[in-house]
Each structure stands twice: as C-alpha cells, then as structure tokens.
Amino acid sequence: MKYLHPHKLKPLNQDILVNSIYILNYLKNTPSKEEKLSVILSHIRKQLNSTEKTFLHGLNFLYMFKKIDYNKNNDKVILL
C-alpha cells in the first residue's frame, strides 16, 4: 500500500492511520458499536477536515485487518 508511506510534507489529516484511529474511536464511543457510513464520514470530515478519498482508504485499511465489518443492506459499519 503506497498510501502508508509517511512523508514530512504530508498533512496528518490526510494520513490513513490517523483516519483509521478516528474511525475506531468514533465506533467505540457509540452505544451500539455500529453507525451509518454517511454519519461516520460527516463526523470525521468535521474533526479532521480530511477528504473522502482518505476516509475510504482508512475504512479499507480497517476492513482488511478485520477491525470493522460492513453491512451492505443497512449501509452500516460495525466494530468487531
């Protein structure tokens, strides 16, 4: 994954690992440990001022390591 290479000129709000941490923390603080994808995106964009592309890369990173799951029928992200 070329997106994981750190660079001194890259802002932290566009780092995949930072986005992933914010996504995990948001899901941990929700009572049901699941939330709609659009709600998570709007929350992360407010906090980090990051792009949608970076957010999706962070979601894919968490999904690959089986930290989250995605329910396509309800459009919800679930913390595992």
Side-chain angles (χ1 to χ4, degrees), residues 45-56:
R45 287 181 86 174
K46 281 183 203 172
Q47 278 193 325
L48 289 177
N49 196 20
S50 66
T51 62
E52 188 173 326
K53 181 179 176 182
T54 308
F55 171 76
L56 291 176

Side-chain angles (χ1 to χ4, degrees), residues 2-15:
K2 70 178 184 174
Y3 298 106
L4 287 177
H5 294 281
H7 191 271
K8 66 181 180 180
L9 298 176
K10 185 178 186 180
L12 282 178
N13 67 341
Q14 294 188 7
D15 188 35

Side-chain angles (χ1 to χ4, degrees), residues 10-72:
K10 185 178 186 180
L12 282 178
N13 67 341
Q14 294 188 7
D15 188 35
I16 293 172
L17 297 176
V18 172
N19 273 278
S20 299
I21 289 170
Y22 274 84
I23 293 168
L24 281 178
N25 286 338
Y26 180 75
L27 287 172
K28 283 180 183 176
N29 292 330
T30 57
S32 62
K33 308 295 184 211
E34 65 182 18
E35 190 64 66
K36 291 188 78 61
L37 187 60
S38 59
V39 173
I40 298 172
L41 173 62
S42 65
H43 180 76
I44 298 301
R45 287 181 86 174
K46 281 183 203 172
Q47 278 193 325
L48 289 177
N49 196 20
S50 66
T51 62
E52 188 173 326
K53 181 179 176 182
T54 308
F55 171 76
L56 291 176
H57 286 307
L59 271 181
N60 288 336
F61 179 76
L62 292 172
Y63 185 77
M64 283 191 309
F65 287 103
K66 300 190 187 306
K67 298 294 181 185
I68 61 169
D69 196 18
Y70 178 68
N71 186 346
K72 186 170 44 173

